[in-house]
Amino acid sequence: MKLLRRLPYYGCIALLAYMPFHIFLSQWLSTYTGGLDEWKLGKDVVTAVLVLTAVCSVWAFRRGTRLFNRLVIFAAVYGALHLLLWAVHPDLYKQSALLGIIYNNRVVWYLLIGYGARLLYPEGFVWRRIVTIVLIISTVVAALGVLQYFLPKDILTHFGYSTARGVKPNFFIDDNPEFPRIMSTIRDPNTLAAYLMVPTALLVHIVLRLRDWRKKITATALLALHVAALYLTFSRSAWAAAAVMIILVVWWAYRSALWAIVRRYRLVLAALVLIIGVVAFTQRHNANINGVLTHATTAQVGQYDSNQYHLHYVAKGLEGIVHQPLGHGPGTAGLASIQNPHGGLLTENYYIQIGYEVGVAGLALFVAMNVGVYVYLWRSKGVWHPVLLASFWAYVIMNMLLQIWSNEAVALQWWLLAGVALAADVKATPKV
């Protein structure tokens, strides 16, 4: 009985520790064991088992809350909508449709696992312990990423990475070898940058709160490592998102003092902004700076450059929603769609992807769930909640330009911790 109640908690710790290394381990170990697809699917099977265990255990031990039950209902309705659209479009490519269902639904699965685990075993969720685990794992990932920048660019080919096996061994800006990008143990540079958002916000929050200077120096050094790794991904969306996130964390910590500084030194601040703008304008033809910012380091080859492709796919996604507002079915857009041998649609926007796959109704459901979770976190006012609230906006920005929630490591980290945070204020006791 005790083990059953604690199982979701152990699952949370295991997933937080394993998921950032899932790509690396599955690619590497499958070269010895075979069964790459089984390695990839294993984590989702474990996730499904944990969801069922968490929900059934919460109900069995009478520890459910109104919010938890609403989230379960949402998960059921959202999942059913995907299945219904698959039934309406039976000609969908099976593998893409199945992956689309998994990718789209596991964000709420992670939320339920975190929420349920905290309700079932509240004494296990000491925030300092959870934060320590998150930061240990992210520090290893960040350190490996920074190291990767200086190692031979084909080093991951020795660990089973290849385009033929589903994961590129290296990335470059504009496919130019002179501009390498890191991805560490995560799938690609953009998702590595997204994964580092929560740990970076945590470290900023910790640095601001610490009074012991020795601990503050250690935390600052870890923050510098995370920022360096984030920079070396050369993910422009992540840089913008991280800037907004850090500003929000600092603003919520020192809102009154900062507002007073802004009012007192507004002319100086305006001059700094002007100077930065002038410097940026004078360096617009610098090949290194221009390449990093525009991702166009060589002459354009083909119909579109990197930035034009973003706009092209966004336009195609919006056009698809307008033409078929009820949805094209799961797996017809996003990362799952590239499994289809007949071609897929990378919408370059997660919200457009959801609207394209499950229609306006599905998108409305997903946005409503996001708003609800954010509002509950805002009202809770927990010590660590500013980290989740600030990183939420970072992910909104990134998902407007990429399909970030489709990556398991990124989605797990934020949504699972959000579930734990939502349940943190619940004084759940058995009703019998």
Side-chain angles (χ1 to χ4, degrees):
M1 194 73 71
K2 183 183 292 187
L3 177 62
L4 187 62
R5 287 175 54 188
R6 294 185 179 185
L7 185 59
Y9 166 76
Y10 296 137
C12 286
I13 303 303
L15 288 175
L16 283 171
Y18 171 75
M19 209 65 86
F21 304 104
H22 162 69
I23 297 295
F24 177 80
L25 291 175
S26 61
Q27 294 295 130
W28 182 29
L29 296 179
S30 64
T31 61
Y32 299 100
T33 65
L36 177 58
D37 289 337
E38 285 73 18
W39 275 98
K40 291 179 178 179
L41 187 61
K43 68 183 185 309
D44 295 311
V45 173
V46 171
T47 298
V49 170
L50 284 173
V51 171
L52 291 174
T53 302
V55 172
C56 293
S57 296
V58 166
W59 287 347
F61 293 109
R62 306 290 181 87
R63 288 177 176 257
T65 66
R66 182 178 298 176
L67 177 58
F68 182 80
N69 293 336
R70 286 176 177 174
L71 291 173
V72 173
I73 293 172
F74 168 82
V77 172
Y78 195 54
L81 179 60
H82 283 73
L83 294 174
L84 176 62
L85 283 168
W86 191 0
V88 172
H89 301 281
D91 57 336
L92 295 179
Y93 183 63
K94 183 177 179 180
Q95 185 176 352
S96 291
L98 181 59
L99 287 177
I101 291 172
I102 294 173
Y103 288 1
N104 294 350
N105 285 271
R106 62 187 175 194
V107 292
V108 72
W109 296 347
Y110 295 144
L111 186 68
L112 287 172
I113 292 172
Y115 200 132
R118 176 62 177 73
L119 289 178
L120 291 164
Y121 185 43
E123 56 271 28
F125 283 94
V126 178
W127 267 111
R128 180 173 295 180
R129 183 187 308 166
I130 301 299
V131 167
T132 300
I133 292 171
V134 170
L135 291 181
I136 287 174
I137 299 301
S138 68
T139 298
V140 173
V141 172
L144 289 174
V146 172
L147 181 63
Q148 181 187 22
Y149 187 78
F150 301 99
L151 292 174
K153 303 314 170 195
D154 64 345
I155 190 169
L156 287 176
T157 59
H158 302 291
F159 295 91
Y161 281 59
S162 70
T163 304
R165 302 186 81 233
V167 183
K168 291 180 65 175
N170 46 46
F171 287 83
F172 306 96
I173 296 176
D174 198 28
D175 290 329
N176 186 337
E178 295 182 8
F179 294 85
R181 306 175 68 187
I182 66 170
M183 78 280 200
S184 188
T185 58
I186 312 296
R187 179 175 293 276
D188 60 76
N190 290 318
T191 48
L192 169 61
Y195 169 77
L196 293 173
M197 288 294 166
V198 171
T200 300
L202 275 170
L203 286 166
V204 171
H205 188 68
I206 290 170
V207 168
L208 294 177
R209 290 175 58 86
L210 282 174
R211 295 294 177 262
D212 186 316
W213 280 100
R214 286 175 296 182
K215 293 181 179 179
K216 187 184 284 285
I217 290 172
T218 300
T220 303
L222 291 178
L223 175 60
L225 175 64
H226 283 69
V227 171
L230 200 154
Y231 171 75
L232 292 175
T233 64
F234 295 102
S235 173
R236 296 165 297 171
S237 61
W239 292 349
V244 171
M245 177 183 71
I246 292 171
I247 288 171
L248 287 175
V249 172
V250 174
W251 177 258
W252 285 329
Y254 298 106
R255 181 167 44 206
S256 299
L258 287 173
W259 185 241
I261 292 173
V262 169
R263 285 185 297 180
R264 185 172 182 177
Y265 298 103
R266 57 185 179 275
L267 294 179
V268 175
L269 293 173
L272 284 174
V273 171
L274 180 61
I275 291 171
I276 293 172
V278 170
V279 171
F281 180 78
T282 60
Q283 295 297 311
R284 67 190 184 281
H285 297 305
N286 184 307
N288 290 310
I289 296 176
N290 192 46
V292 168
L293 293 178
T294 67
H295 281 204
T297 67
T298 57
Q300 181 176 325
V301 177
Q303 186 178 4
Y304 303 111
D305 62 20
S306 173
N307 302 302
Q308 290 169 335
Y309 266 116
H310 277 277
L311 295 175
H312 172 70
Y313 285 128
V314 165
K316 284 192 69 175
L318 289 172
E319 183 181 341
I321 294 174
V322 171
H323 288 169
Q324 198 159 323
L326 295 180
H328 296 75
T332 54
L335 297 181
S337 69
I338 63 178
Q339 305 292 329
N340 192 330
H342 300 295
L345 176 63
L346 285 174
T347 60
E348 302 289 9
N349 181 306
Y350 186 79
Y351 304 105
I352 293 176
Q353 174 201 320
I354 295 299
Y356 188 94
E357 290 185 278
V358 290
V360 175
L363 177 59
L365 279 172
F366 180 74
V367 171
M369 189 268 288
N370 277 257
V371 172
V373 169
Y374 185 87
V375 169
Y376 272 98
L377 286 173
W378 178 265
R379 290 175 177 173
S380 297
K381 300 295 184 181
V383 175
W384 298 103
H385 289 197
V387 171
L388 292 171
L389 294 170
S391 55
F392 172 88
W393 289 112
Y395 288 131
V396 168
I397 292 171
M398 292 197 73
N399 277 304
M400 293 294 287
L401 300 166
L402 301 161
Q403 283 114 340
I404 290 302
W405 286 145
S406 294
N407 181 270
E408 60 276 354
V410 180
L412 169 89
Q413 184 176 238
W414 195 89
W415 289 98
L416 189 144
L417 293 178
V420 173
L422 287 174
D425 296 330
V426 176
K427 303 293 190 296
T429 55
K431 297 179 181 178
V432 293

